[in-house]
Every structure is written in C-alpha cells, then in structure tokens.
Amino acid sequence: MSVTVRQACRGDLPHIIAIEEASFSVPWSHQSLAAELENPVAHYYVLEKDDGSVAGYADVWLIADEGQLANIAIHPSARGLGYGEILLRTAMEALFQAGCTSLFLEVRQSNAPAQGLYRKLGYEGVAVRKNYYSQPVEDACIMQCQKENYQWLSHSR
Ligand SMILES: CC(C)(COP(=O)(O)OP(=O)(O)OC[C@H]1O[C@@H](n2cnc3c(N)ncnc32)[C@H](O)[C@@H]1OP(=O)(O)O)[C@@H](O)C(=O)NCCC(=O)NCCS
C-alpha cells in the first residue's frame, strides 16, 4: 500500500487523538495535541494511507540546532509495516534540512519496538532518567542521534 507523509492539520486531530489514546497509558491531552499545530518550533506530520485514513503521526521540535522527538505513534492495527520508520525519517530529514545537528528523545526502558526503530536510524542511549514515567513508574532512556550517525537510506540523501 502506498502512503503519504504530510503536515498535520486541524482535521487530523480526531485521528491523532484516537491513535494517541490507543498507544499510551498517559496520553497527551487533546489541548496539548492541538496546541502543537500552532507551536512555532514543531514539525508535525501525519502518515496517510491511500484510502485516506491516518495511520500515525510524528511531532519533532527544532530549537536552535537541536532537535527533540516530542511524540510518535502508529495506530496499533498498522504497526510493523514500516510506517513508523517512514514517518520518523521524514521528520528527522526535515530537521536536518533546517539546520539540526543532533536530536534527543526519551523512551521507556521497556519499549523495545521504539528503541529498535531509534537504534536502526542511528540513535544511541546517552543517559537514564530515573522514574521519569508513571503508570507504570519506569525509567526513561535518553537517546541521541547526531546528524553524522543518522542511517540514511541510499536513495534519501
Ligand atoms: C514505536 C512505533 C512508532 C514503531 O512504528 P512501526 O510502524 O510499528 O515500526 P516499523 O514497522 O516502521 O519498524 C521500523 C523498525 O523499528 C523496529 N521495530 C518495530 N517493531 C519492533 C518490535 N516489535 N520489536 C523490536 N523492534 C521493532 C525495527 O528495527 C524495525 O525495523 P525492521 O523492520 O527493519 O526490523 C510503534 O510501535 C508505536 O506506535 N508504538 C506505540 C507508541 C510509542 O511507543 N511511541 C514511542 C514513544 S517513545
């Protein structure tokens, strides 16, 4: 199935909210998800399937030359199909184009799928933040991807 990654818009919010609430034990509030549409440092993307449905979103921030992965999720029914990788590559490459030299993120220690994705694209663990998450309480792994360590696809450079 072909997919498109495009900037998120207000009409995507119900889909983003549904995916967020299906993906996290402590989801972002509707207000927080909506506010990202107006956040001047945010690059907010959705992945749309060719039937028009939204299967996931990614939200990255660029402050000076430093990026942050604020949020990413794929609908539970659409995981393992490469969509998360497509979304994250699009978001990261947009930041690199805009002058980003390095990105950071936080991820639950137990979140093997997400950590697998991040390591595949060039992130490595740089610190642990004790008891960062609730429901359940869990440490966060802080990961960083420096631009020179990003694992470009041969056709995407
Ligand atoms: C993390 C997430 C976005 C990955 O999206 P996805 O579309 O399922 O992932 P992809 O199919 O693009 O997989 C890309 C890579 O991620 C890794 N990966 C994906 N699923 C994995 C799993 N179940 N176990 C281990 N690694 C996995 C692999 O490295 C994979 O590459 P490969 O197919 O060449 O092995 C998705 O699992 C998700 O939405 N999870 C819930 C929300 C969440 O945890 N967000 C991150 C918060 S920090």
Side-chain angles (χ1 to χ4, degrees), residues 23-24 72-74 79-85 106-107 111-114 116-118 120:
S23 299
F24 297 105
I72 183 168
I74 299 294
R79 292 185 190 153
L81 301 174
Y83 295 163
E85 181 172 342
E106 296 107 23
V107 58
N111 192 343
L117 170 61
Y118 302 147
K120 181 176 183 183

Side-chain angles (χ1 to χ4, degrees), residues 10-31:
R10 196 147 287 277
D12 297 319
L13 275 175
H15 309 290
I16 292 172
I17 289 166
I19 296 167
E20 174 82 12
E21 293 183 347
S23 299
F24 297 105
S25 60
V26 186
W28 285 28
S29 68
H30 298 193
Q31 290 85 345

Side-chain angles (χ1 to χ4, degrees), residues 53-111:
S53 63
V54 170
Y57 55 88
D59 180 11
V60 292
W61 299 336
L62 181 60
I63 300 169
D65 64 351
E66 189 176 297
Q68 170 82 21
L69 176 60
N71 204 354
I72 183 168
I74 299 294
H75 191 279
S77 67
R79 292 185 190 153
L81 301 174
Y83 295 163
E85 181 172 342
I86 291 170
L87 256 174
L88 187 54
R89 285 188 179 283
T90 302
M92 290 177 69
E93 291 175 20
L95 289 203
F96 292 143
Q97 284 257 325
C100 178
T101 58
S102 168
L103 286 104
F104 288 88
L105 60 81
E106 296 107 23
V107 58
R108 281 185 184 269
Q109 291 274 27
S110 65
N111 192 343

Side-chain angles (χ1 to χ4, degrees), residues 82-151:
Y83 295 163
E85 181 172 342
I86 291 170
L87 256 174
L88 187 54
R89 285 188 179 283
T90 302
M92 290 177 69
E93 291 175 20
L95 289 203
F96 292 143
Q97 284 257 325
C100 178
T101 58
S102 168
L103 286 104
F104 288 88
L105 60 81
E106 296 107 23
V107 58
R108 281 185 184 269
Q109 291 274 27
S110 65
N111 192 343
Q115 289 185 31
L117 170 61
Y118 302 147
R119 289 188 195 284
K120 181 176 183 183
L121 268 55
Y123 284 86
E124 57 185 15
V126 291
V128 172
R129 201 163 281 164
K130 290 296 288 179
N131 300 332
Y132 180 76
Y133 292 105
S134 60
Q135 298 182 40
V137 173
E138 189 174 354
D139 296 347
C141 179
I142 313 293
M143 302 183 80
Q144 179 183 23
C145 179
Q146 298 196 350
K147 185 178 177 184
E148 58 266 29
N149 292 336
Y150 178 64
Q151 300 297 303

